[in-house]
Amino acid sequence: LLRDRVIIPYIDITSSKVTMQSAIVASRASTVLVHNASSPRPCAARMTRSSVSAAARAAFGASKVSKVASAPAVSASKRQVVAMAGPNEYEMQTLTTWLLREEANGNIDNELATVISSIGVACKQIGSLVNRAGISNLTGLAGEQNVQGEDQKKLDVISNEVFCNCLRSSGRTGVIASEEEDLPVAVEETFSGEYVVVFDPLDGSSNIDAGISVGSIFGIYAPSEECSIEDMDDPETMMNKCVTNVCKPGRDLLVSGYVLYSSSTVMVLTIGDGVYGFTLDPLVGEYVLSHPNIKVPETGKIYSFNEGNYEGWTPQLKAYMDSLKEADKWGGKPYSARYIGSLVGDFHRTLLYGGIYGYPGDDRNPNGKLRLLYECAPMSMLAEQAGGLGSTGFERVLDIMPEQVHQRVPLFVGSKKEVEYLESMLKQ
């Protein structure tokens, strides 16, 4: 029977390493079972408690082992061997602890951290709804159209409600603007912070019924100095000062991010100091830091365009696309085409692997179909923070001053050299 436990040092002569190991002293024999981390079986040695202490002194010095030798005996009911050598394997950094660290460093304040946490909660709910859409009768159309004339899916409407409710309940948002709403909405429940939050609650929702990756996109602007809580008593003043003040250039964004709902739920965000990715652990219910300081490769031989619109493109854009397929120009291997049809999914792959994503204008949609506030600006900020670029082909996306809440612009985003090459082709 195992009776006592003491901690003794294990000396690895071959590597000159010293680690602490658990040792169990047998009750009737003076045998110590030393559990070596590098050996699958315990090593038995004829040692007394005093000889254990002597071995420890030889490795650490008498002054460091006095506490080990005099370790209290473990009760007979607790006979489980505890072996913990090296760093704690259960240590992890969550979104919450990351936000606390950034707040301590002065990069964000408590109010902004609360808004980001509220978005994280909203995306947990949306991710759960997406995973159960097929068995909860959440697929198909809702029977309505949004302000852009697009058919709304059931999950579009539900996701928008979830997002709005979480932001309202945070008490730190003054105005929220959604792709699914005709106009930005002033939040009456706010009591501090008053941040402006823009979001696309469910990007790529046309892929929901097929089970393909979708996501949420969001951006956070600083509170407007022209808009105050007192203005909410006058609807006309509120509309002029608060709601229309949502139209800000992307360079003013404080936070940008997206959440990908796929084989795993991944939140990628920036607060203006690098890009970080957090993967949702469904067992713990927390976003865990999995992609610290993401950097997009400078080049990447993957392009993501909807070539079904090729005939409607400009001659310069056609020439660019044709050049990517010329094997001789790229060392014998042309670019590879990868297109999901979901901005979040395509952008996430581009961010990690490099390459370029593009949604240009064409004959039917001269400015493309992506919204500047909800999609192009947040994604461009993420790309630039990761070392890439976001462009319309002729100007930096983050420098565009929106004239309308739902304004559309062409978007080319990804690896720096890939976007620069596209711009050089379009300007010919």
Side-chain angles (χ1 to χ4, degrees), residues 239-387:
M239 179 63 68
N240 293 333
K241 289 187 177 182
C242 302
V243 175
T244 56
N245 201 259
V246 169
C247 294
K248 299 181 179 181
R251 61 174 178 268
D252 292 344
L253 279 165
L254 299 179
V255 178
S256 291
Y258 63 83
V259 176
L260 173 71
Y261 312 115
S262 185
S263 57
S264 58
T265 299
V266 182
M267 172 183 278
V268 177
L269 63 86
T270 177
I271 58 173
D273 186 23
V275 179
Y276 295 83
F278 301 82
T279 301
L280 179 64
D281 186 340
L283 297 180
V284 179
E286 279 279 6
Y287 293 98
V288 180
L289 181 63
S290 55
H291 299 75
N293 199 21
I294 299 174
K295 293 295 182 184
V296 60
E298 281 197 347
T299 60
K301 298 185 69 174
I302 300 175
Y303 69 91
S304 185
F305 287 69
N306 183 1
E307 291 190 79
N309 299 323
Y310 179 88
E311 291 300 324
W313 292 347
T314 63
Q316 293 86 351
L317 185 58
K318 289 181 180 179
Y320 164 77
M321 186 58 61
D322 293 340
S323 71
L324 300 183
K325 303 173 184 178
E326 298 175 6
D328 295 340
K329 191 171 184 177
W330 308 106
K333 184 179 179 181
Y335 277 56
S336 298
R338 300 285 186 272
Y339 188 72
I340 299 174
S342 167
L343 172 58
V344 173
D346 284 314
F347 180 83
H348 188 68
R349 181 196 58 250
T350 303
L351 186 66
L352 297 181
Y353 299 160
I356 185 171
Y357 170 86
Y359 205 113
D362 53 39
D363 290 344
R364 293 176 299 171
N365 302 290
N367 293 319
K369 297 184 69 175
L370 299 180
R371 266 67 57 167
L372 174 59
L373 273 179
Y374 317 110
E375 297 165 322
C376 300
M379 291 307 199
S380 295
M381 181 181 181
L382 285 165
E384 291 195 6
Q385 285 293 317

Side-chain angles (χ1 to χ4, degrees), residues 95-96 98-114 116 195 254-255 269-272:
L95 175 63
T96 302
W98 183 81
L99 289 173
L100 290 173
R101 187 194 68 187
E102 295 300 321
E103 183 183 346
N105 292 337
N107 296 327
I108 58 175
D109 58 22
N110 177 261
E111 311 294 342
L112 186 54
T114 301
I116 297 173
Y195 286 94
L254 299 179
V255 178
L269 63 86
T270 177
I271 58 173

